[in-house]
């Protein structure tokens, strides 16, 4: 295993980014008591607290799930099918008009959810490899507490605290992926 030292000054202490990121995050409990000015009772919940350092060292943002919009599209399509079949029976004109309105809304929801699922699926296909590479790089990244810079071993480029490390790594991985695709098309 290669020695871990700061690229700016080998005497500076170095810490693994994932451990430092996790140590700067905490889940806190929240309890609110309602008094005489409103409804009596209490509300309980949880929130995620994060230090500014942990926020700067955040991993690449996860790609949005594409399966949920598919479920919405299927349910809306089912509702639309039900409404179309329900209008086939003998109903009053007012009931048929109401069902057609709800059917039109269900069709719009199904189309919008289907389009959302399709675009998210394309994002997974296009950026999935880059996201995986950026996540692997983030898991290997180091941080220097004195310089305030982070880097990936075997990569001389450093990232300051003024930029989010995970997003920088994702941008680099996407650029490398695009460059590799251009080279494969050219040669």
């Amino acid at each position: 295993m290669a020695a871990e030292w700061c690229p700016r000054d080998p005497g500076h202490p170095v810490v693994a980014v994932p451990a430092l990121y996790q140590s700067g995050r905490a889940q806190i409990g929240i309890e609110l008591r309602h008094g005489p000015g409103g409804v009596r009772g209490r509300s309980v919940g949880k929130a995620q607290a994060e230090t500014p350092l942990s926020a700067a060292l955040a991993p690449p943002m996860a790609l949005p799930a594409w399966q949920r919009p598919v479920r919405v599209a299927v349910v809306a399509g089912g509702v639309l099918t039900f409404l179309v079949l329900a209008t086939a029976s003998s109903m009053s004109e007012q009931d048929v008009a109401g069902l057609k309105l709800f059917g039109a809304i269900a069709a719009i929801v199904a189309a919008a959810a289907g389009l959302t699922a399709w675009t998210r699926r394309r994002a997974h296909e296009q950026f999935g490899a880059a996201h995986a590479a950026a996540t692997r790089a983030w898991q290997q990244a180091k941080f220097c507490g004195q310089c305030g810079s982070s880097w990936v071993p075997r990569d001389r480029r450093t990232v300051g605290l003024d930029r989010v490390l995970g997003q920088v790594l994702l941008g680099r991985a996407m650029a490398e992926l695009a460059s590799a695709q251009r080279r494969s098309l050219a040669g």
Side-chain angles (χ1 to χ4, degrees):
M1 181 174 190
E4 298 173 2
W5 64 82
C6 175
R8 293 184 180 173
D9 184 346
H12 290 175
V14 172
V15 181
V17 165
L20 190 58
Y21 169 73
Q22 197 58 37
S23 70
R25 296 172 54 87
Q27 191 166 0
I28 56 175
I30 299 172
E31 182 175 334
L32 300 173
R33 295 186 185 274
H34 308 283
V39 178
R40 300 197 83 140
R42 68 184 189 124
S43 300
V44 179
K46 293 182 181 181
Q48 191 73 28
E50 185 172 62
T51 64
L53 177 59
S54 186
L57 297 176
M61 290 176 45
L63 294 172
W66 60 272
Q67 293 90 351
R68 184 174 299 142
V70 169
R71 285 185 233 128
V72 171
V74 167
V75 168
V79 168
L80 176 62
T81 302
F82 170 75
L83 292 175
V84 167
L85 294 175
T87 59
S89 65
S90 60
M91 301 179 99
S92 69
E93 285 186 33
Q94 189 175 11
D95 291 339
V96 171
L99 284 176
K100 285 182 180 179
L101 174 65
F102 285 120
I105 292 171
I108 291 169
V109 168
L115 185 60
T116 301
W118 180 75
T119 56
R120 287 184 180 178
R121 178 68 182 152
R122 272 191 56 106
H124 274 267
E125 291 170 357
Q126 290 177 338
F127 305 121
H131 186 269
T135 300
R136 282 191 303 276
W138 180 83
Q139 290 169 342
Q140 299 171 1
K142 306 296 178 203
F143 177 77
C144 175
Q146 288 185 322
C147 295
S149 61
S150 52
W151 67 94
V152 177
R154 296 176 302 281
D155 186 348
R156 301 188 73 139
R157 299 173 289 184
T158 61
V159 178
L161 290 175
D162 59 331
R163 296 168 51 201
V164 178
L165 176 62
Q167 296 310 103
V168 171
L169 295 175
L170 184 59
R172 288 179 185 172
M174 288 172 55
E176 290 170 9
L177 181 66
S179 176
Q181 287 175 343
R182 281 193 301 273
R183 281 193 305 269
S184 70
L185 290 174

